PDB file of all heavy atoms in Angstrom:
ATOM      1  N   LYS A  35      18.949   6.189  -5.480  1.00  0.00           N
ATOM      2  CA  LYS A  35      18.969   5.370  -4.282  1.00  0.00           C
ATOM      3  C   LYS A  35      17.646   5.559  -3.540  1.00  0.00           C
ATOM      4  O   LYS A  35      17.159   6.685  -3.423  1.00  0.00           O
ATOM      5  CB  LYS A  35      20.138   5.770  -3.377  1.00  0.00           C
ATOM      6  CG  LYS A  35      21.490   5.325  -3.896  1.00  0.00           C
ATOM      7  CD  LYS A  35      22.571   5.562  -2.852  1.00  0.00           C
ATOM      8  CE  LYS A  35      23.913   5.004  -3.332  1.00  0.00           C
ATOM      9  NZ  LYS A  35      24.979   5.195  -2.328  1.00  0.00           N
ATOM     10  N   ILE A  36      17.102   4.463  -3.037  1.00  0.00           N
ATOM     11  CA  ILE A  36      15.827   4.526  -2.331  1.00  0.00           C
ATOM     12  C   ILE A  36      16.060   4.223  -0.857  1.00  0.00           C
ATOM     13  O   ILE A  36      16.567   3.163  -0.498  1.00  0.00           O
ATOM     14  CB  ILE A  36      14.799   3.542  -2.922  1.00  0.00           C
ATOM     15  CG1 ILE A  36      14.551   3.873  -4.404  1.00  0.00           C
ATOM     16  CG2 ILE A  36      13.484   3.610  -2.139  1.00  0.00           C
ATOM     17  CD1 ILE A  36      13.595   2.915  -5.086  1.00  0.00           C
ATOM     18  N   ILE A  37      15.687   5.182  -0.005  1.00  0.00           N
ATOM     19  CA  ILE A  37      15.878   5.089   1.437  1.00  0.00           C
ATOM     20  C   ILE A  37      14.513   5.033   2.110  1.00  0.00           C
ATOM     21  O   ILE A  37      13.646   5.854   1.826  1.00  0.00           O
ATOM     22  CB  ILE A  37      16.641   6.322   1.979  1.00  0.00           C
ATOM     23  CG1 ILE A  37      17.889   6.620   1.134  1.00  0.00           C
ATOM     24  CG2 ILE A  37      16.967   6.153   3.455  1.00  0.00           C
ATOM     25  CD1 ILE A  37      18.932   5.561   1.156  1.00  0.00           C
ATOM     26  N   VAL A  38      14.333   4.066   2.995  1.00  0.00           N
ATOM     27  CA  VAL A  38      13.066   3.902   3.712  1.00  0.00           C
ATOM     28  C   VAL A  38      13.285   4.170   5.196  1.00  0.00           C
ATOM     29  O   VAL A  38      14.238   3.670   5.790  1.00  0.00           O
ATOM     30  CB  VAL A  38      12.509   2.473   3.538  1.00  0.00           C
ATOM     31  CG1 VAL A  38      11.275   2.258   4.405  1.00  0.00           C
ATOM     32  CG2 VAL A  38      12.170   2.207   2.075  1.00  0.00           C
ATOM     33  N   GLU A  39      12.402   4.973   5.781  1.00  0.00           N
ATOM     34  CA  GLU A  39      12.355   5.099   7.237  1.00  0.00           C
ATOM     35  C   GLU A  39      11.022   4.548   7.705  1.00  0.00           C
ATOM     36  O   GLU A  39       9.964   5.013   7.272  1.00  0.00           O
ATOM     37  CB  GLU A  39      12.515   6.547   7.708  1.00  0.00           C
ATOM     38  CG  GLU A  39      12.565   6.629   9.236  1.00  0.00           C
ATOM     39  CD  GLU A  39      12.505   8.041   9.789  1.00  0.00           C
ATOM     40  OE1 GLU A  39      12.033   8.951   9.095  1.00  0.00           O
ATOM     41  OE2 GLU A  39      12.928   8.226  10.941  1.00  0.00           O
ATOM     42  N   ILE A  40      11.070   3.560   8.579  1.00  0.00           N
ATOM     43  CA  ILE A  40       9.852   2.951   9.117  1.00  0.00           C
ATOM     44  C   ILE A  40       9.573   3.558  10.486  1.00  0.00           C
ATOM     45  O   ILE A  40      10.416   3.515  11.382  1.00  0.00           O
ATOM     46  CB  ILE A  40       9.988   1.420   9.202  1.00  0.00           C
ATOM     47  CG1 ILE A  40      10.088   0.836   7.788  1.00  0.00           C
ATOM     48  CG2 ILE A  40       8.806   0.816   9.950  1.00  0.00           C
ATOM     49  CD1 ILE A  40      10.323  -0.644   7.737  1.00  0.00           C
ATOM     50  N   GLY A  41       8.379   4.129  10.624  1.00  0.00           N
ATOM     51  CA  GLY A  41       8.034   4.842  11.854  1.00  0.00           C
ATOM     52  C   GLY A  41       8.638   6.227  11.837  1.00  0.00           C
ATOM     53  O   GLY A  41       9.443   6.585  12.694  1.00  0.00           O
ATOM     54  N   SER A  42       8.251   7.029  10.840  1.00  0.00           N
ATOM     55  CA  SER A  42       8.882   8.341  10.628  1.00  0.00           C
ATOM     56  C   SER A  42       8.441   9.405  11.620  1.00  0.00           C
ATOM     57  O   SER A  42       9.038  10.473  11.680  1.00  0.00           O
ATOM     58  CB  SER A  42       8.606   8.829   9.199  1.00  0.00           C
ATOM     59  OG  SER A  42       9.238   7.999   8.262  1.00  0.00           O
ATOM     60  N   GLY A  43       7.384   9.119  12.376  1.00  0.00           N
ATOM     61  CA  GLY A  43       6.944  10.093  13.371  1.00  0.00           C
ATOM     62  C   GLY A  43       6.610  11.438  12.762  1.00  0.00           C
ATOM     63  O   GLY A  43       5.979  11.517  11.710  1.00  0.00           O
ATOM     64  N   LYS A  44       7.090  12.491  13.391  1.00  0.00           N
ATOM     65  CA  LYS A  44       6.797  13.844  12.913  1.00  0.00           C
ATOM     66  C   LYS A  44       7.745  14.296  11.809  1.00  0.00           C
ATOM     67  O   LYS A  44       7.633  15.422  11.315  1.00  0.00           O
ATOM     68  CB  LYS A  44       6.841  14.830  14.077  1.00  0.00           C
ATOM     69  CG  LYS A  44       5.749  14.572  15.114  1.00  0.00           C
ATOM     70  CD  LYS A  44       5.853  15.532  16.287  1.00  0.00           C
ATOM     71  CE  LYS A  44       4.795  15.241  17.330  1.00  0.00           C
ATOM     72  NZ  LYS A  44       4.912  16.126  18.517  1.00  0.00           N
ATOM     73  N   GLY A  45       8.697  13.447  11.435  1.00  0.00           N
ATOM     74  CA  GLY A  45       9.448  13.683  10.211  1.00  0.00           C
ATOM     75  C   GLY A  45      10.743  14.442  10.293  1.00  0.00           C
ATOM     76  O   GLY A  45      11.344  14.741   9.254  1.00  0.00           O
ATOM     77  N   ASP A  46      11.250  14.754  11.504  1.00  0.00           N
ATOM     78  CA  ASP A  46      12.487  15.538  11.583  1.00  0.00           C
ATOM     79  C   ASP A  46      13.636  14.861  10.843  1.00  0.00           C
ATOM     80  O   ASP A  46      14.375  15.502  10.081  1.00  0.00           O
ATOM     81  CB  ASP A  46      12.896  15.745  13.047  1.00  0.00           C
ATOM     82  CG  ASP A  46      12.071  16.818  13.736  1.00  0.00           C
ATOM     83  OD1 ASP A  46      11.046  17.235  13.153  1.00  0.00           O
ATOM     84  OD2 ASP A  46      12.438  17.231  14.849  1.00  0.00           O
ATOM     85  N   PHE A  47      13.798  13.560  11.058  1.00  0.00           N
ATOM     86  CA  PHE A  47      14.920  12.840  10.454  1.00  0.00           C
ATOM     87  C   PHE A  47      14.817  12.804   8.939  1.00  0.00           C
ATOM     88  O   PHE A  47      15.731  13.206   8.219  1.00  0.00           O
ATOM     89  CB  PHE A  47      14.980  11.418  11.011  1.00  0.00           C
ATOM     90  CG  PHE A  47      16.039  10.550  10.375  1.00  0.00           C
ATOM     91  CD1 PHE A  47      17.353  10.612  10.815  1.00  0.00           C
ATOM     92  CD2 PHE A  47      15.730   9.689   9.341  1.00  0.00           C
ATOM     93  CE1 PHE A  47      18.343   9.824  10.222  1.00  0.00           C
ATOM     94  CE2 PHE A  47      16.703   8.892   8.750  1.00  0.00           C
ATOM     95  CZ  PHE A  47      18.019   8.964   9.188  1.00  0.00           C
TER      96      PHE A  47
END
Side-chain angles (χ1 to χ4, degrees):
K35 287 189 175 181
I36 300 177
I37 312 296
V38 174
E39 184 189 22
I40 294 176
S42 294
K44 295 178 182 177
D46 283 12
F47 176 83

